Each structure stands twice: as structure tokens, then as C-alpha cells.
Amino acid sequence: MNLTPQQAAELQAILASPELIVTAINERLAQIRILTDRYSELSTTRLDKQIPESVSVIGATSGGIEYLPSGMTAPRADGAVRIRAWDEAVARALASPDAATQRWGAVESARPWKMVQDTLTAPGVSKEQKRSIGTNCANARMINGLSGSSVKGFAWPAYKVTLVNGIPQIGDEIADAAAWNDDRVTLDGQVLARGWWTADAATLAERSLLHYIMTSGRATKPLTGGEFGAGKP
């Protein structure tokens, strides 16, 4: 295998880091899934093997979720990550004696995976993952009225993203993921409105809980798909 000096340096960095190896495996899995889906489209038959969405380290921390020093996990195939501060906030809510707080925790535990703009610059992230993350974060920002964290900034359901004639297309909803606003940035790089970053997770969780108690705190029936507010923080 002939590698350029840059490719060789990148490979060496990956092989020297357990976290980067997991990221690289998940990147390859995403590529393999794209190829198997394309095979099914062309041949009208399916391969006899099920390709996993992603891999993770079993038993490393918090029930098998391994958080990197950034506070995020390595991204899975669709680009979504788990965020330690958010997961801890949900765990505290589930253990709370307050019924409304527990209910928020139960709603949020259904969507533990997040599309967040930090991941766009994580080592080893593929073009497909970046497309998924970028499209979903921008979609969340648009739904929130071009606002940043200083205005609305609540999450929005995440969706599968495919490329059709070179244009990203939003498909089916990803049941266990939500997208956070990204920054609203001009072409010359000026940030007009700040979105949510991993460092904001605890603040967003607090805001989300307060908003939930204010709007749904007395509810007793579980939210279901298609209802206003379902699955959103």
C-alpha cells in the first residue's frame, strides 16, 4: 500500500491512539454500509451479513460508553456522539425524587445521541459523517429561526442524510438522536449567532429541564412520535 507522507502520518497517529482506532473503525463501517446499500439497489438482492452501525468499547466507563477527553464519545457511523455532561444530567434527573424531573429524564433518555458541531473537526471523521452532522445542525438552527444559544437553541430530531445528485437530502428520522444548533456564520467567518457546543451541554440540559417543567411538568401521558415537543429537550 503506497501512502503519501501525510497519509502515513495520519495512519501512525490513528494506530497510536485507542480512541482514534475506534473512530477509524466506525468510519470504515459507515463506508461499508454505503456500499452494501448500493449493492442492494443495483442487484435487488441483499448480502447475507448484517453490518453494525458502529462499535464501542465495552465496560470502559458508564455502562460501556467511553468518553474522550473532549467530553464526547467517538462518533458512530451517522456522526452522532454521546456527551458526558448531558448523560450525567439525564442520569441525575432519572434519580430525582421530583416526578416532573424524572419525566424529563425519561423523555431525554430515548435520544441520548447528539449531532453537535464539535464533531466536525474530530480526528478521523469521514465526509459522510460531516455531511450528516453539518446538515442536521444547520437544520436545527433553521428550525429555531436562525437563532443561537442566546435565543432559542433547543434541539431538534436528527435525520438520516443521503447525497442525491450531489445535494444532501434529509430522510427518515433517527429515533435515538437529536441535533443541536450550530453557529450562524457569514462567508468570511464572522459568527452572527452562537450555537451549542459540547461545553454548553450542562447549560442546555438545565434550560431544557426548566422549559419542560414549565410546558409539560403536569402531564401524565407519555409523549409519542408526531406530538409537539416529543423527544425534544
Side-chain angles (χ1 to χ4, degrees), residues 5 11 18 35 37 44 51 54 69 75 96 116 129 144 157 163 166 169 187 198 200 214 219 221 226-227 231-232:
L11 179 59
L35 291 174
D37 288 345
T44 68
I51 308 301
S54 62
S96 171
V116 62
Q129 288 171 313
N144 280 296
L163 203 62
Q169 299 290 324
L187 292 177
T198 296
D200 305 312
M214 180 179 67
K221 291 177 62 179
E227 294 185 24
K232 305 183 189 71

Side-chain angles (χ1 to χ4, degrees), residues 77-96:
D78 60 11
V81 297
R82 295 286 292 267
I83 300 174
R84 182 194 294 273
W86 181 270
D87 288 346
E88 290 175 346
V90 171
R92 286 194 299 270
L94 290 171
S96 171

Side-chain angles (χ1 to χ4, degrees), residues 39-91:
Y39 173 84
S40 297
E41 291 175 6
L42 294 175
S43 66
T44 68
T45 59
R46 298 187 63 83
L47 297 176
D48 63 348
K49 298 296 182 183
Q50 186 68 31
I51 308 301
E53 288 280 347
S54 62
V55 298
S56 59
V57 178
I58 302 300
T61 59
S62 300
I65 301 298
E66 182 179 15
Y67 301 96
L68 306 180
S70 63
M72 304 184 298
T73 63
R76 66 182 186 182
D78 60 11
V81 297
R82 295 286 292 267
I83 300 174
R84 182 194 294 273
W86 181 270
D87 288 346
E88 290 175 346
V90 171

